[in-house]
Amino acid sequence: MPTLDVATSLLAAARATVERVPDAESVVDLSTGERWTYADLWQAASEVAGGLLVEGVEPGDRVGVALPNGSAWALAFLGTLMAGAVPVPINPRLTSAERAHIVGDSGARVVLDEILPTGEPTVIDAEDPEALAALFYTSGTTGTPKGAMLSHRALLSAAAQVRLAYRLESTEGLRALVAAPLFHVLACGMQWIPALVSGGSIAILPMFDVGSWVSAIRSERIEVLNGVPAMFWHALRHPDFDALDVTGVRIVSYGAAPTPPAQAEALRTAFPHARLAPGYGLTEAPCVTGLQDDDALTHSGSVGTAVAATELRVVGPDADSGIGQLLVRGPQLMSGYWGRPQASAEVLVDGWLHTGDIVRIDDGGRVFMLDRRTDLINRGGENVYSVEVEAAVAAYPAVGESAVVAVPDDRLGSRVGVCVVPRPGVTFEGHELVRVARDSLAPFKVPEFVCMRSEPLPRNPAGKVDKEAVRAQSQWTPLPR
């Protein structure tokens, strides 16, 4: 299996950063105004570790981290590692039943959700790269959430892959804005940990608020922006954005949803000095592909080529044409699902992760997302990939966002339905979408039902459209053929 040269553990990497740049700014909590140097963060986290030991936590125990975004979250995560335990990030907005499932499934000894414990400074580091570093639970949109076991090597490899994908020799001192939830691997594994091990700085928003996000770019001299396309879409339409000085923004990274050509062009115009860096990853493999800036406009529908030390392949009946389920092999892969050997064996086969995502890989190795295997629409025996239809619909200027799902049909099994949110202040008729879609889609792919929404599409904590919720909430209107 391909490998990367990384530290022996997250704590070993973090300790090296503290020793190298102790007075550098590590974390800025934009909700409290607190600013933490690396030395201060390390000291405070070690006291949290001591407090966990007082509460009976032992090395190898799981500790739930159910705090909102902020410096306390960083202290809880790092302090848990220093206690020799395994952090289990938990969405603090889950219902009591949802939270109980994760706590019970992981066997968490304690859950940190209010005041952090403190005690004598303690740092326990076995420095085993294959040891379990964290349990990140999947979103559960395709079933019960499962705990993806990510080792120290996996998270450190992903951090290295992020830096290499950005084409940066070093990220030391680089200032990034974190608005995505830290309990998700996108923000923790792809933003905070890369900063932690390299000496970068993160400014943390409690949640994504477009006004606060735009303001923070200015006040914190942000150089790296990372989020889902919808975040950028809202920011570019904020009244303060046009007056914003973005000359310092060096990297604009986005993923988790398709990016139509018009959106990529808008990002290039909005951030003329930045390198566009779309990519793809998942809880089970935080960093998988990255699209180089040179291809960001010419191949905007792609999520890029394999990142460093990563191999890709497709399997399925159409694999010879480059279309099929994406398989990934590399050092960033999870070790398996916590307590689920059968589920682990189903997705990890001979070192290859079966992602469940249907993709196309072109001759240049670029990956184009077509669908989740569970979202594929089989219309009378013909496969319709929702991403392809969404891209066609997005070409209509009046469309703000859209989601394509299967509408049950007695005769064909499924038909194509599209749920649309118009741009603010714009109205249009559904039949206009049919006309636009016919210009680029085969007849069997053209939407046959529409649901017009005034509120944003439902999304999961990772920012992805929750298509199960779309199907459940939508009231479908037939479209003319």
Side-chain angles (χ1 to χ4, degrees):
M1 186 175 77
T3 60
L4 288 168
D5 184 17
V6 296
T8 54
S9 71
L10 286 172
L11 286 184
R15 182 187 290 110
T17 301
V18 174
E19 292 174 350
R20 188 176 69 254
V21 289
D23 298 325
E25 194 167 70
S26 173
V27 170
V28 179
D29 189 330
L30 294 174
S31 62
T32 65
E34 295 174 314
R35 294 178 180 271
W36 296 79
T37 66
Y38 273 98
D40 290 341
L41 191 74
W42 182 271
Q43 176 65 27
S46 69
E47 293 171 4
V48 171
L52 287 172
L53 297 186
V54 171
E55 293 194 8
V57 172
E58 299 179 355
D61 283 348
R62 277 74 58 207
V63 173
V65 179
L67 292 156
N69 270 19
S71 55
W73 193 98
L75 291 171
F77 187 95
L78 192 57
T80 297
L81 289 173
M82 288 177 167
V86 178
V88 183
I90 300 173
N91 182 352
R93 300 178 66 183
L94 291 180
T95 65
S96 57
E98 291 169 328
R99 172 169 160 162
H101 164 75
I102 293 176
V103 173
D105 187 76
S106 66
R109 175 66 66 90
V110 299
V111 177
L112 303 178
D113 56 4
E114 291 184 7
I115 299 175
L116 296 180
T118 59
E120 289 296 316
T122 302
V123 181
I124 301 173
D125 186 5
E127 298 199 11
D128 177 3
E130 305 306 331
L132 179 60
L135 271 181
F136 285 91
Y137 274 75
T138 60
S139 60
T141 55
T142 58
T144 304
K146 300 180 288 291
M149 298 187 290
L150 292 174
S151 67
H152 289 267
R153 185 186 301 281
L155 287 171
L156 288 169
S157 295
Q161 288 163 334
V162 169
R163 178 182 61 79
L164 293 169
Y166 287 171
R167 295 185 179 180
L168 297 171
E169 292 186 5
S170 171
T171 53
E172 185 170 308
L174 207 62
R175 301 182 65 80
L177 179 59
V178 175
L182 281 162
F183 61 77
H184 192 272
V185 76
L186 168 66
C188 179
M190 303 294 285
Q191 293 183 271
W192 183 48
I193 290 176
L196 179 68
V197 302
S198 65
S201 175
I202 60 167
I204 307 174
L205 282 169
M207 63 182 66
F208 176 71
D209 170 77
V210 63
S212 300
W213 192 82
V214 170
S215 176
I217 294 174
R218 177 190 302 109
S219 64
E220 296 301 322
R221 309 181 310 283
I222 296 300
E223 298 167 278
V224 179
L225 294 172
N226 190 310
V228 298
M231 292 167 59
F232 291 101
W233 186 82
H234 287 297
L236 266 56
R237 283 155 183 78
H238 191 273
D240 293 342
F241 187 84
D242 287 342
L244 182 64
D245 179 6
V246 295
T247 56
V249 178
R250 298 170 56 189
I251 300 290
V252 172
S253 179
Y254 47 95
T259 308
Q263 288 189 12
E265 291 171 1
L267 288 173
R268 167 66 77 222
T269 301
F271 299 97
H273 304 281
R275 181 176 296 147
L276 300 186
Y280 158 77
L282 56 164
T283 306
E284 294 87 343
C287 190
V288 175
T289 66
L291 189 66
Q292 298 300 334
D293 183 70
D294 299 341
D295 287 340
L297 296 185
T298 56
H299 298 83
S300 62
S302 171
V303 293
T305 56
V307 294
T310 299
E311 299 174 73
L312 307 177
R313 56 184 284 216
V314 295
V315 295
D318 298 322
D320 289 342
S321 64
I323 296 176
Q325 182 187 177
L326 179 65
L327 273 58
V328 181
R329 183 163 67 176
Q332 73 277 41
L333 266 59
M334 71 169 183
S335 307
Y337 293 120
W338 177 264
R340 296 171 185 257
Q342 182 175 346
S344 300
E346 290 172 355
V347 299
L348 287 171
V349 182
D350 297 327
W352 291 89
L353 172 69
H354 292 238
T355 66
D357 287 322
I358 306 300
V359 307
R360 174 174 65 86
I361 301 181
D362 70 9
D363 293 340
R366 302 179 193 87
V367 177
F368 294 78
M369 306 302 298
L370 298 177
D371 229 328
R372 284 291 298 172
R373 190 170 47 176
T374 52
D375 290 335
L376 181 67
I377 302 170
N378 188 312
R379 184 188 181 278
E382 295 180 290
N383 288 338
V384 179
Y385 301 109
S386 63
V387 172
E388 185 180 15
V389 181
E390 288 162 358
V393 170
Y396 189 54
V399 173
E401 54 180 351
S402 65
V404 170
V405 298
V407 177
D409 181 78
D410 291 337
R411 185 170 67 86
L412 295 176
S414 297
R415 293 183 183 270
V416 182
V418 58
C419 193
V420 176
V421 180
R423 290 184 184 274
V426 177
T427 59
F428 62 92
E429 299 296 328
H431 65 81
E432 298 176 54
L433 293 178
V434 175
R435 175 178 53 79
V436 173
R438 281 176 179 159
D439 291 339
S440 57
L441 297 175
F444 69 90
K445 300 178 183 178
V446 174
E448 298 169 86
F449 292 89
V450 67
C451 171
M452 306 293 286
R453 291 173 60 104
S454 57
E455 66 275 12
L457 293 173
R459 295 179 180 272
N460 66 20
K464 296 181 180 179
V465 173
D466 185 342
K467 292 199 172 182
E468 192 62 40
V470 170
R471 282 188 281 266
Q473 298 172 6
S474 298
Q475 310 239 336
W476 300 109
T477 301
L479 288 169
R481 299 299 294 167

